[in-house]
Amino acid sequence: MEVKKILSYTIPLYGNRRIFPYGRMRVEHEGKEYVVRFGNIDDQGRFYITAARRRFYFRNAGSLHAPRFEFYNPDEVRRVKRTASRREDLLNTLVDHMVEDAGNQNRPVIEKLAEYGFTEDELVLTLGFPPEEVKSVMLSLNGGEQYAV
């Protein structure tokens, strides 16, 4: 499924019982072109169109005023999210064991992970280390110079 052209695009302001953009677009699927309406939302809040008696899900990868629609398979998105969540859980378990092995001290673990290439954002936002401690370690590893975040 591919968007060929957005034929009409309306951003609702008030009074027409809609809260999301809607309109019509020309799409191509398996060599055939269709003109379809968009703006429909399923019970899980996903935007979709119907073409060739099938439902196709899409998202706006652009902005509200400069839309760029991409089609996706919701089953594939769920699988990727599950896999990413599992990886994050395993990583957090490994880091927890590293902290325990270091006598419940964060600093040696932060130093080791920074040497492995973890950035300040990854250490703070993903792994949950205290920002002050991470900043201190990053400064000391770079010899007091400013570093890239």
Side-chain angles (χ1 to χ4, degrees):
M1 179 65 67
E2 179 185 355
V3 176
K4 289 297 188 182
K5 184 177 183 180
I6 297 175
L7 302 172
S8 68
Y9 183 78
T10 303
I11 301 169
L13 296 177
Y14 55 88
N16 64 358
R17 299 182 315 172
R18 290 181 178 262
I19 60 172
F20 296 110
Y22 60 94
R24 295 177 327 143
M25 66 177 136
R26 180 178 294 128
V27 295
E28 180 184 349
H29 179 65
E30 296 178 348
K32 292 184 76 177
E33 285 197 3
Y34 303 92
V35 174
V36 296
R37 294 185 184 278
F38 65 89
N40 296 327
I41 301 171
D42 71 1
D43 58 344
Q44 295 180 3
R46 300 175 298 194
F47 290 97
Y48 71 91
I49 61 166
T50 304
R53 300 181 65 184
R54 291 180 44 202
R55 189 176 278 193
F56 298 93
Y57 292 93
F58 70 95
R59 66 178 145 246
N60 184 358
S63 68
L64 180 63
H65 296 285
R68 187 172 54 86
F69 296 145
E70 293 179 343
F71 288 91
Y72 68 95
N73 180 345
D75 296 330
E76 186 68 22
V77 170
R78 272 192 296 262
R79 186 185 64 74
V80 168
K81 282 184 179 178
R82 266 196 322 267
T83 303
S85 176
R86 173 83 172 133
R87 285 187 197 128
E88 191 172 315
D89 289 345
L90 291 171
L91 179 61
N92 283 328
T93 301
L94 287 171
V95 170
D96 287 345
H97 284 291
M98 288 175 72
V99 171
E100 286 175 14
D101 292 344
N104 291 324
Q105 298 294 318
N106 287 335
R107 189 171 181 89
V109 176
I110 295 171
E111 288 172 351
K112 183 61 95 176
L113 293 173
E115 288 172 10
Y116 288 151
F118 281 79
T119 65
E120 181 180 357
D121 284 345
E122 292 167 339
L123 292 168
V124 172
L125 301 175
T126 305
L127 298 175
F129 285 109
E132 311 80 33
E133 215 168 339
V134 171
K135 189 173 290 276
S136 169
V137 167
M138 295 301 236
L139 284 173
S140 68
L141 288 177
N142 291 322
E145 299 174 15
Q146 191 63 25
Y147 56 92
V149 176

